[in-house]
Amino acid sequence: MAFIKNNPSQDPHALHIEADGLRALSKVIKQHNLAICVPDIKAVNSQQLILERIPNQSASKQQWQQLGDQLARFHQIPQKHFGYPLDNYIGLNPQKNGLSDNWGDFFYNQRLMFQCQRIQDTSVSEEIRQQLKKLQQPLINWLNQQAVQPVLLHGDLWSGNVLFSDNKVWLIDPAVYWGDSEADIAMTELFGGFPQVFYQTYQRQQPMSTDYDLKKICYNLYHYLNHYNLFGPGYLAACRSHLNRLTTALT
């Protein structure tokens, strides 16, 4: 049986871009014999992406442990650059990529400022732009001081994009790029988070950095800005809170 995803956007390339992300995940997973699965692509065109159907079920403790262990191993596989050759999507919004050797500059410009530029309310856009401008150099310098190695990220790693069947763990709906592994972990903590056993197992393989709590604020600001642009004012308070916490810590 197959799962058919219809194109939710006006972009005829959107599903081809999603298929590219699935192939990128699958390639790294297969090259390193990891026990994470990505659904096979049966066909893709401008209107439909036809995938292997996953009989999703509730996850066992062992499956959450498997995800933690294998994702940590996945996040230890180095890549050459930050960014990604193709622009793609984060939800229904475009995600700007390009290649960079400067993580701080990439995240500031291609993630935070790009979302700021998409805000339609001019007063809100100006408010956030001014705060980001104040943060620009301290934030870029601080992110670069982390000396992270780029790894392939799922990019949209929340509980709705992880499926479980039998003894397998599956990743779906990626928004891939090369960046700091902790950006993926930060997103798992949004919207209720993953079970604690996932984090415990992950950190046995890949301990979090000493600055993770602040990095989480930075990385999740991107997702709150994206959700504000997608779904409206209900996310504005979180955007402001995260910006204020970064400003207090870094300036």
Side-chain angles (χ1 to χ4, degrees), residues 79-90:
Q79 304 295 329
K80 294 180 179 179
H81 304 284
F82 298 107
Y84 199 67
L86 300 175
D87 294 342
N88 47 26
Y89 285 87
I90 179 73

Side-chain angles (χ1 to χ4, degrees), residues 56 64 154 156-164 170-173 187 190-191 193-194:
N56 191 32
W64 282 112
H154 178 281
D156 196 6
L157 193 60
W158 67 290
S159 59
N161 286 341
V162 182
L163 303 179
F164 302 90
W170 303 78
L171 298 179
I172 62 169
D173 293 350
M187 192 180 185
L190 290 176
F191 315 123
F194 287 11

Side-chain angles (χ1 to χ4, degrees), residues 26-185:
S26 181
K27 180 179 179 181
V28 174
I29 288 166
K30 289 178 179 177
Q31 283 178 340
H32 295 269
N33 297 311
L34 298 176
I36 305 176
C37 299
V38 176
D40 289 337
I41 300 165
K42 297 183 178 295
V44 60
N45 57 45
S46 62
Q47 296 302 314
Q48 292 186 329
L49 174 60
I50 304 175
L51 300 171
E52 172 185 7
R53 179 175 287 277
I54 312 304
N56 191 32
Q57 62 188 39
S58 297
S60 66
K61 176 183 176 181
Q62 289 73 24
Q63 284 175 307
W64 282 112
Q65 289 174 317
Q66 178 183 345
L67 177 62
D69 176 82
Q70 295 296 293
L71 185 66
R73 296 175 191 273
F74 181 86
H75 280 162
Q76 292 168 348
I77 300 164
Q79 304 295 329
K80 294 180 179 179
H81 304 284
F82 298 107
Y84 199 67
L86 300 175
D87 294 342
N88 47 26
Y89 285 87
I90 179 73
L92 292 177
N93 269 343
Q95 178 167 265
K96 190 73 172 173
N97 289 312
L99 299 180
S100 176
D101 294 319
N102 186 316
W103 172 237
D105 183 79
F106 174 84
F107 195 85
Y108 177 83
N109 285 295
Q110 305 296 71
R111 293 293 175 263
L112 301 181
M113 284 301 293
F114 182 75
Q115 285 291 336
C116 178
Q117 291 159 5
R118 294 185 60 80
I119 295 173
Q120 295 183 1
D121 184 315
T122 54
S123 64
V124 173
S125 176
E126 182 63 13
E127 170 197 341
I128 291 177
R129 187 182 72 83
Q130 288 297 334
Q131 262 196 283
L132 285 174
K133 288 294 286 184
K134 183 179 178 181
L135 268 171
Q136 181 174 5
Q137 210 52 55
L139 180 61
I140 290 173
N141 291 342
W142 175 70
L143 284 175
N144 286 333
Q145 286 165 8
Q146 306 301 311
V148 297
Q149 86 176 1
V151 300
L152 183 63
L153 304 180
H154 178 281
D156 196 6
L157 193 60
W158 67 290
S159 59
N161 286 341
V162 182
L163 303 179
F164 302 90
S165 69
D166 299 325
N167 295 318
K168 295 181 179 178
V169 178
W170 303 78
L171 298 179
I172 62 169
D173 293 350
V176 298
Y177 65 102
W178 299 314
D180 180 359
S181 61
E182 292 183 351
D184 259 355
I185 301 305

Side-chain angles (χ1 to χ4, degrees), residues 198-228:
F198 162 81
Y199 300 104
Q200 293 166 348
T201 309
Y202 182 94
Q203 290 192 73
R204 281 199 284 271
Q205 288 290 338
Q206 176 108 327
M208 308 309 290
S209 67
T210 55
D211 283 336
Y212 170 71
D213 286 344
L214 187 57
K215 288 167 77 177
K216 176 173 64 176
I217 299 299
C218 176
Y219 296 151
N220 284 345
L221 173 59
Y222 170 57
H223 296 295
Y224 278 123
L225 287 169
N226 181 53
H227 275 69
Y228 171 74

